[in-house]
Amino acid sequence: MSLPRLLAIVLLALCCGTAAPQCPATNTAFDAGEDLHYQLYFNWKFIWMKAGTANLNISQATHNGQPAYRCHLITRGNARTDKFFMMRDTLVSYVSHDLLPLYYRKGALEGKRYYVDELWYSYPANGGVTLDQRFVSHRGEVSVKQEHTTECPYDMCSMLLRARSFDPKDYKEGQRITFPMADGHKVRQATLIYRGRETFKMDNTGDTYRCLVFSFVDIEGRKEKEVVTFYVTDDLNHMPVRLDLYLRFGTAKAFLRQATGLRNPQTALIKQ
């Protein structure tokens, strides 16, 4: 699982999955102009070293003549990590002002493999959601698929934007949360576990935040494997500030380095 995917999954925990009539939602968490920068670290032979950067930007846009938000997520490895694993991932998602997903594209260069996922959403007058999916493999093979569902399928970026406006105040520690997530070739159910609240100090900036803590887990048969533990600000922004990543090729961390253009006051940031 790639680093941009894990970063995008961070805020999915705030949403429990909804039926089609509830697909539109009110945005209370972000505005166009929000810009989040992250520093990535990788554990190599017991030494933590800088591995690259990630940037999440939200801007005002139009899609097929409709006013929309454009979510742009980029992850880049640095020269040191490129020597053993090239990473150049770009995700773009358009959502309406009431947070309905409209379009999604992910272009990923991971190692020597480059592939593309694309999704187009439409909302028929008779209800439900029609999802057109396109996947281009690293060999250039193209596959297309169309699905119609009464659920609300989301891609990684559009679910991130939707979930930020949910209120997790009634979550219980250990609560499991499932939601439908689409990529270029299928829709699958994902699982998160709410771990509770924690206050911690950031290693890179020295800032202290009150956070909600979640784990994203993969389940294969009866086996459960934790993929990422993440920390989301316990305020109206629901901004991801730290991720602990358990990857196939080692352990990594992501820390928020800079945040500008936030819609709401940072009440989870404890002043020193």
Side-chain angles (χ1 to χ4, degrees):
M1 184 177 292
S2 66
L3 286 174
R5 175 175 178 136
L6 291 171
L7 182 61
I9 283 170
V10 166
L11 292 171
L12 304 187
L14 303 181
C15 179
C16 296
T18 54
Q22 298 174 310
C23 287
T26 301
N27 170 31
T28 61
F30 66 87
D31 275 329
E34 181 179 280
D35 198 29
L36 307 179
H37 293 264
Y38 296 86
Q39 182 70 56
L40 307 179
Y41 297 86
F42 179 68
N43 188 276
W44 178 252
K45 296 182 178 179
F46 305 105
I47 298 174
W48 285 100
M49 64 181 186
K50 290 184 177 180
T53 60
N55 173 237
L56 175 66
N57 176 269
I58 301 172
S59 59
Q60 183 61 48
T62 59
H63 184 267
N64 292 335
Q66 177 181 354
Y69 294 111
R70 179 180 184 266
C71 178
H72 190 208
L73 174 62
I74 301 176
T75 299
R76 297 287 183 269
N78 59 25
R80 176 182 283 184
T81 56
D82 282 352
K83 293 178 180 179
F84 59 89
F85 189 80
M86 181 74 71
M87 183 173 60
R88 301 287 187 274
D89 292 354
T90 301
L91 288 71
V92 177
S93 180
Y94 288 81
V95 302
S96 67
H97 281 181
D98 55 359
L99 304 182
L100 286 176
L102 303 172
Y103 172 77
Y104 167 79
R105 183 185 190 275
K106 175 184 177 181
L109 174 62
E110 297 169 357
K112 297 181 179 180
R113 301 162 67 93
Y114 180 79
Y115 64 91
V116 176
D117 289 316
E118 273 188 293
L119 302 168
W120 292 265
Y121 301 82
S122 58
Y123 301 88
N126 61 350
V129 182
T130 298
L131 185 63
D132 289 288
Q133 305 172 72
R134 180 176 183 265
F135 174 71
V136 182
S137 74
H138 67 283
R139 299 186 182 90
E141 301 163 339
V142 179
S143 60
V144 296
K145 182 179 181 181
Q146 184 179 84
E147 293 187 52
H148 184 80
T149 176
T150 57
E151 290 187 303
C152 295
Y154 291 87
D155 54 81
M156 292 180 285
C157 287
S158 63
M159 178 62 92
L160 185 156
L161 298 180
R162 167 69 189 272
R164 291 180 64 176
S165 293
F166 279 74
D167 185 356
K169 66 180 180 181
D170 294 327
Y171 282 6
K172 305 297 183 183
E173 190 169 336
Q175 180 173 342
R176 289 174 175 265
I177 304 152
T178 60
F179 52 88
M181 188 167 65
D183 54 29
H185 29 154
K186 62 181 178 180
V187 178
R188 69 183 184 91
Q189 294 294 316
T191 301
L192 296 113
I193 303 173
Y194 175 56
R195 301 297 189 187
R197 287 176 165 83
E198 183 177 331
T199 298
F200 81 99
K201 186 175 182 179
M202 300 275 282
D203 292 340
N204 61 332
T205 64
D207 293 331
T208 300
Y209 289 94
R210 290 189 300 271
C211 289
L212 307 166
V213 184
F214 295 86
S215 295
F216 177 76
V217 298
D218 271 342
I219 300 175
E220 294 184 6
R222 296 184 179 181
K223 293 184 178 180
E224 184 174 280
K225 178 182 178 183
E226 187 160 348
V227 179
V228 57
T229 300
F230 49 83
Y231 299 73
V232 178
T233 56
D234 191 9
D235 58 21
L236 291 177
N237 293 306
H238 290 149
M239 177 177 61
V241 294
R242 169 184 165 183
L243 298 86
D244 297 344
L245 313 166
Y246 312 104
L247 309 172
R248 290 191 301 269
F249 52 87
T251 305
K253 293 181 182 289
F255 291 100
L256 181 71
R257 181 165 52 90
Q258 183 181 28
T260 58
L262 297 178
R263 175 170 179 164
N264 301 298
Q266 295 192 67
T267 57
L269 175 60
I270 302 172
K271 300 296 184 181
Q272 300 299 308

